[in-house]
Amino acid sequence: MSSSTTPTAYAVSPDSGEHWSKEGAWRVTDGIHRIPLPLPMDGLKAINVYVLETADGLTLIDGGWAIEVARDLLERCLRDIGYGFGDIRRFLVTHVHRDHFTMATVLGHEYGADVALGLGDKPALDLLNDPTLDESPFLEVLRTAGAHELAELWAAGGGERPDPAIWLLPDTWLEGDQRIAVGTRTLDAVHTPGHTPGHYVFADRGAGLLFAGDHVLPTITPSIGFTVPPTPDPLGDFMASLTKVRALPDLQILPAHGPVAPSSHARVDELLSFHDDRLEQSLAAIADAPATGFTVAHQLAWTRHEKSYDELDPFSQGMAAMETKAHLELLVARGRATREETPGGVLFSAAPIGSSA
């Protein structure tokens, strides 16, 4: 939840010369356009959908959130560059979160376009389509982080059952690293679990581009721990995936949120450094007494403005509690902390000096 360089709220994207979220189909390079679509009620403001032109039609990387205002804007922007929904042949979706997946699956089923998603996100779709689900599955994640009152607040504010009409299964499951032909381009589909278990980035080495989804964001740190069903060590997965992307050539970042940015290597290094620092801060917070992720989150600063936890809105507070728990879980995995499951949430304690792995 921290940021680097220019704040997202003020970031200008070099392809448009405008604020990165300004409406339009912005030319990134020959045959590739970036279309920011709105995210109402979300601090991120927009998601970038990337349109790749081929002789046979369009491939879109991510689809946006299945809401009317975003659908109408996507249709208008495609029309501005000479296309319509019927020209879409495939969606390559970076991960299952609603702002990336739901419009892709709705349009894919309406127009017969293939929708591809990482297999690691299948458990999330299965859960969201479970007819016995009687509350938002994120509420239990909040409770294990010790944020019980926040879970009740989330529930009161819309923790209802997900709408199965926008959580349809994809046509293609992506598994492992593979190469995908998109017209004359070849994309390296690279599995990068962490933000979600099935997250993928798509590297166009020939053009020097990284379609980075939410894995490498230029102005903010991707949220960690905000996924269901929960995984044992999402931050450990994320940092390993960052190292994996760092081993690729240095590529221009085409992110899901924020402006086009020049260097994947530089940004990955910043993200790894941020989380290393956060791990040390989290460890210091449990040095004297056991604590939950919720309790430790109160001791940390949030966003580039170094806000206190109590200054955050309830949704951001929940994200912060989940992310802090992810840091504490990685400390456990590294032998630097211990954990105990209690009715009040998972309690973490610093491991005795000299016991770390």
Side-chain angles (χ1 to χ4, degrees):
M1 295 175 68
S2 81
S3 58
S4 173
T5 63
T6 304
T8 310
Y10 302 104
V12 170
S13 193
D15 53 346
S16 64
E18 303 279 356
H19 186 270
W20 72 271
S21 66
K22 184 175 176 62
E23 294 180 5
W26 305 108
R27 178 186 173 278
V28 176
T29 189
D30 288 344
I32 299 177
H33 289 82
R34 180 180 63 87
I35 299 178
L37 297 179
L39 299 178
M41 301 176 296
D42 193 309
L44 290 173
K45 302 301 182 188
I47 174 174
N48 294 317
V49 170
Y50 294 93
V51 180
L52 283 64
E53 301 174 71
T54 79
D56 298 324
L58 304 177
T59 291
L60 269 59
I61 294 181
D62 286 332
W65 183 0
I67 50 178
E68 186 175 359
V69 63
R71 179 179 175 132
D72 290 347
L73 181 57
L74 179 60
E75 187 171 32
R76 292 201 307 273
C77 289
L78 287 177
R79 189 183 309 124
D80 287 344
I81 55 174
Y83 297 102
F85 288 153
D87 296 306
I88 302 172
R89 300 290 177 261
R90 176 166 52 184
F91 288 92
L92 297 175
V93 182
T94 59
H95 63 290
V96 75
H97 285 164
R98 65 184 181 181
D99 52 328
H100 300 254
F101 178 72
T102 57
M103 183 102 79
T105 193
V106 168
L107 290 178
H109 280 76
E110 283 186 34
Y111 289 91
D114 184 271
V115 178
L117 180 72
L119 183 62
D121 283 343
K122 186 176 186 297
L125 275 182
D126 290 343
L127 181 61
L128 292 167
N129 283 288
D130 182 351
T132 68
L133 191 68
D134 57 3
E135 68 172 15
S136 167
F138 288 103
L139 302 184
E140 183 57 27
V141 182
L142 284 172
R143 296 181 190 115
T144 65
H148 291 266
E149 291 185 8
L150 202 53
E152 295 307 311
L153 193 60
W154 275 32
E160 70 276 357
R161 200 186 172 288
D163 178 4
I166 63 172
W167 296 106
L168 304 167
L169 292 177
D171 304 285
T172 300
W173 292 110
L174 300 174
E175 187 172 8
D177 296 349
Q178 55 187 276
R179 310 193 93 190
I180 298 175
V182 179
T184 59
R185 301 177 185 275
T186 299
L187 301 184
D188 287 318
V190 182
H191 184 209
T192 51
H195 181 66
T196 72
H199 194 289
Y200 270 79
V201 301
F202 302 96
D204 183 345
R205 297 186 191 225
L209 303 173
L210 179 70
F211 297 94
D214 280 3
H215 182 59
V216 182
L217 298 176
T219 58
I220 57 175
T221 61
S223 63
I224 303 298
F226 184 65
T227 189
V228 290
T231 54
D233 185 16
L235 181 60
D237 294 338
F238 178 65
M239 293 180 77
S241 295
L242 286 174
T243 302
K244 186 177 182 181
V245 169
R246 185 61 169 79
L248 296 171
D250 195 14
L251 303 170
Q252 187 178 35
I253 305 168
L254 304 185
H257 310 285
V260 173
S263 172
S264 57
H265 284 183
R267 186 56 181 151
V268 165
D269 290 346
E270 291 174 352
L271 290 169
L272 288 170
S273 177
F274 168 81
H275 285 292
D276 284 338
D277 290 344
R278 206 67 161 176
L279 286 164
E280 295 305 318
Q281 295 168 21
S282 299
L283 183 62
I286 57 172
D288 297 327
T292 64
F294 177 69
T295 303
V296 173
H298 280 78
Q299 301 179 52
L300 304 175
W302 297 96
T303 80
R304 68 180 292 113
H305 301 295
E306 299 287 298
K307 290 183 177 181
S308 69
Y309 183 85
D310 289 335
E311 291 180 273
L312 302 176
D313 64 82
F315 179 75
S316 297
Q317 287 181 336
M319 299 276 280
M322 294 179 198
E323 183 162 307
T324 303
K325 181 175 181 289
H327 282 84
L328 295 165
E329 295 285 11
L330 180 52
L331 289 170
V332 173
R334 292 181 173 180
R336 304 184 70 190
T338 60
R339 71 193 303 277
E340 178 188 2
E341 296 189 15
T342 76
V346 180
L347 278 176
F348 296 89
S349 304
I353 294 174
S355 66
S356 62

